[in-house]
Each structure stands twice: as structure tokens, then as C-alpha cells.
Amino acid sequence: MDALQKRYGEKKLLVTDVTTYKVNSYLTPPTHSNIEASLEQARREKAPGIGVVITSDETLVSYDVNAFPVVAIVDKMGRLRHIGRDIDFQDDDPEGELIKKLTEE
């Protein structure tokens, strides 16, 4: 995800990791502040160019997300354009072509 953010730059594309407190409840102690601190540390170490959003399980269910990783491509109008499990974007695959098209708009 960090490489994808670097490829397009922050002005054209925003890459964000989405997770829930429940998914990260294995952390000890499983408090919201401990989970947030652990996620922030991991983000700084592994992918400093991306953000992290913690959402509700209900939101994920509404998008039929039941496992990670999952990729959602949302256009600048906030419309969901793609959701799937593919995370290796190439310029010539459908997801890569969609990202290219949306960043050129």
C-alpha cells in the first residue's frame, strides 16, 4: 500500500488502511487507546505514507467485507468504484487501469 501511495502521490490518491477494534482485540490490553497506539506504531514503521482508519464492524458488513485484506477504490465524489481482495495493482490490470483513470480525472 505504501508503494501504491508513493506511485501516485498524495495529491492524486489517498491510500488508507481500514480496520476495526475487534480485529485488533488480540493486543494486550485490548483497549481502544492501546490498539490505536499499536496501529500507529506499525504504520510509522511499515507504511509511513498511508493513513489508518478504524471503523465499525457494521460499516464493514454493509460493504460485505468479512475478511482482510480487502481493497476498496473510492472516487473523489465518494462513490465506491471497486471492492475486492486483489492487492497487487499493475498498470495493465483492471484495478490499476481504474486507479489510473480516476487519478487523471
Side-chain angles (χ1 to χ4, degrees):
M1 289 192 308
D2 201 43
L4 185 64
Q5 183 67 71
K6 287 176 185 173
R7 185 184 323 166
Y8 289 99
E10 291 178 16
K11 293 184 183 207
K12 296 245 179 206
L13 181 73
L14 174 63
V15 177
T16 304
D17 179 27
V18 178
T19 190
T20 68
Y21 289 109
K22 185 176 179 181
V23 168
N24 293 283
S25 63
Y26 64 90
L27 296 168
T28 306
T31 62
H32 284 198
S33 60
N34 187 38
I35 290 169
E36 290 164 7
S38 295
L39 290 171
E40 179 60 19
Q41 180 179 351
R43 183 198 67 77
R44 281 194 314 265
E45 292 172 3
K46 297 179 181 178
I50 68 166
V52 175
V53 173
I54 302 173
T55 192
S56 67
D57 292 330
E58 293 81 15
T59 299
L60 295 178
V61 167
S62 72
Y63 286 101
D64 199 28
V65 174
N66 53 24
F68 292 103
V70 66
V71 174
I73 300 174
V74 179
D75 66 20
K76 59 185 168 185
M77 300 301 291
R79 296 174 296 211
L80 181 64
R81 302 289 295 267
H82 169 81
I83 191 162
R85 310 254 328 159
D86 215 354
I87 60 171
D88 184 28
F89 300 112
Q90 301 300 319
D91 290 336
D92 60 348
D93 65 22
E95 294 83 9
E97 288 177 1
L98 176 60
I99 290 171
K100 186 176 180 186
K101 176 185 169 199
L102 293 174
T103 57
E104 291 175 351
E105 288 181 348

